[in-house]
Amino acid sequence: MPESSNPGHSRLTQTHKISIAGVAALGAAALALSVFPGTGQSGNAMAAEPAAFSATVASTKTVSESVSKQHATADQQAKAAAKAKAAADAKAKAQAEAKKRDEAAAASRSAARKPVYANNLDGWIRQSLDIMKSKGIPGSYEGLHRNIMRESTGNPMAINGWDINAINGVPSKGLLQVIQPTFNAYHVSGTSWNIYDPVANITAAANYAADKYGSMDNVNSAY
């Protein structure tokens, strides 16, 4: 191509064309880097976002499963505790009922062993003998019966209104004709304080005779 006659106009040489092409290539590379930043790793960066989301979902799922397991464990523990409490309550109830049955049976046996005394001279003497035995007071059925029949003929309300005691204002009373001061002094605990009570009268008189004569068995006359 002929050279331009315009001195201000210069033609591009082959070297200039190569330089322009290089600049254009660099520009395209820069544009590519601006669209996909990161030294040739733009594809990996874009792919990282779905991977991160997947990891978040997996982590959430793991936490949810852990919470569910914790709830299930807590529920199982609560059920086990309730079951253990119910068993303990049932055992305590059974023990309380068994104790009540044992106490009732013991009371029944005690009642069965407790003697029932007839409300007559024979019963009064036998009851007095049991009390005397528990208190360590000597005496026999024969000794008590013999002296009772001599003193009052078995009448618990008998009163001597003529002997020296009666003259002194303290008459002898009851089955074994005991005066009030003697009855009070030799009264046996567990018996009535009524001098006319047959058992109380016999037991106090036997206690007095044991102190003065060794036993009511040794008494054969007024004492």
Side-chain angles (χ1 to χ4, degrees):
M1 183 176 184
E3 296 181 0
S4 173
S5 59
N6 187 354
H9 179 77
S10 59
R11 297 180 178 277
L12 294 176
T13 64
Q14 185 67 26
T15 301
H16 291 159
K17 291 179 181 180
I18 293 172
S19 297
I20 291 171
V23 171
L26 290 174
L31 180 61
L33 289 175
S34 65
V35 175
F36 304 105
T39 51
Q41 297 179 358
S42 58
N44 291 337
M46 293 179 67
E49 293 183 4
F53 178 77
S54 298
T56 301
V57 171
S59 177
T60 302
K61 183 178 180 182
T62 300
V63 171
S64 178
E65 290 175 350
S66 176
V67 171
S68 297
K69 288 180 179 179
Q70 290 176 1
H71 286 172
T73 300
D75 186 55
Q76 291 175 354
Q77 291 175 343
K79 288 180 179 179
K83 185 176 180 181
K85 185 179 183 302
D89 290 345
K91 183 178 180 181
K93 183 178 179 180
Q95 289 176 339
E97 290 176 350
K99 183 178 180 181
K100 287 182 179 179
R101 288 195 298 270
D102 291 343
E103 289 175 349
S108 178
R109 289 192 298 269
S110 178
R113 288 194 299 268
K114 186 176 180 179
V116 178
Y117 305 100
N119 188 27
N120 55 31
L121 182 58
D122 178 73
W124 302 331
I125 293 174
R126 293 186 185 281
Q127 186 173 356
S128 293
L129 285 170
D130 284 344
I131 296 171
M132 290 163 58
K133 182 178 180 181
S134 69
K135 302 295 184 178
I137 301 171
S140 68
Y141 185 99
E142 187 278 329
L144 293 176
H145 186 272
R146 172 168 44 83
N147 282 282
I148 288 171
M149 294 309 291
R150 186 189 68 252
E151 294 291 334
S152 66
T153 65
N155 179 11
M157 303 303 294
I159 300 177
N160 186 324
W162 54 267
D163 67 2
I164 187 64
N165 292 320
I167 294 172
N168 292 332
V170 283
S172 302
K173 302 176 181 178
L175 288 175
L176 281 167
Q177 293 294 282
V178 183
I179 61 175
Q180 192 68 53
T182 299
F183 178 82
N184 293 342
Y186 288 91
H187 174 265
V188 176
S189 62
T191 65
S192 171
W193 279 94
N194 181 359
I195 196 171
Y196 292 105
D197 180 87
V199 174
N201 188 283
I202 294 171
T203 312
N207 194 27
Y208 167 76
D211 183 41
K212 299 300 182 181
Y213 306 101
S215 169
M216 184 63 77
D217 294 351
N218 300 327
V219 176
N220 295 295
S221 62
Y223 64 107

